[in-house]
Amino acid sequence: MKTGKYPDMPVMYDTRSLYPELADMEDMYEETEHLKKGLKSRSVDPVHSMNAYVFKQHDTPEMEAVNAKRGKPEEWMVLLRVSSDHKTGFQFWDAGEIYFVIHKSDLEKKNFSNVYCGLESS
């Protein structure tokens, strides 16, 4: 498994409230997919990620954390996303991902006692 840094961008389906300045991208599916493909590194094909975006059918991981914990969505970030992966034998329901979201102030203090954990599956 290769590791490394790679650029990422939000899926506009569920992030309109977090990134209103990018709302027009929702209607630009082909252009957005072309941009994502251009950003994708040839040396890294991410299955799991840190500090990345997570696609969800409803809400966002950040909104879920706010609803379960406190604060505003922009104060939270995805700390870790672990996806179902046949290479390692990980399977979260049918093809899901488990994600861990942390308040940015807690991360700054290295306080991991208030991390929110969620699961998304199709």
Side-chain angles (χ1 to χ4, degrees):
M1 178 187 312
K2 297 178 183 178
T3 61
K5 293 181 180 181
Y6 63 92
D8 195 15
M9 57 189 288
V11 178
M12 296 317 300
Y13 174 82
D14 61 353
T15 56
R16 280 174 250 126
S17 62
L18 285 178
Y19 308 103
E21 66 277 10
L22 301 178
D24 292 342
M25 289 179 67
E26 185 176 14
D27 297 328
M28 301 170 61
Y29 178 79
E30 288 181 25
E31 294 89 343
T32 303
E33 288 302 305
H34 182 72
L35 177 58
K36 283 184 192 178
K37 192 175 186 179
L39 290 173
K40 188 176 179 181
S41 170
R42 294 172 193 244
S43 62
V44 178
D45 188 12
V47 176
H48 318 292
S49 59
M50 294 171 36
N51 190 20
Y53 299 100
V54 174
F55 172 75
K56 293 188 43 53
Q57 292 290 325
H58 307 287
D59 282 333
T60 64
E62 296 87 352
M63 282 301 299
E64 282 185 11
V66 166
N67 292 335
K69 303 282 186 175
R70 69 183 193 289
K72 299 176 184 173
E74 60 272 11
E75 296 172 344
W76 290 83
M77 63 179 275
V78 174
L79 183 63
L80 177 66
R81 176 183 63 91
V82 180
S83 298
S84 293
D85 183 356
H86 68 278
K87 292 177 187 173
T88 60
F90 287 151
Q91 188 71 28
F92 302 108
W93 288 353
D94 59 346
E97 331 186 284
I98 191 167
Y99 48 88
F100 302 89
V101 186
I102 190 168
H103 196 275
K104 292 176 183 177
S105 66
D106 288 338
L107 181 60
E108 189 175 303
K109 295 181 243 175
K110 298 179 180 154
N111 175 8
F112 297 94
S113 66
N114 196 35
V115 171
Y116 175 80
C117 179
L119 172 71
E120 178 70 12
S121 186
S122 56

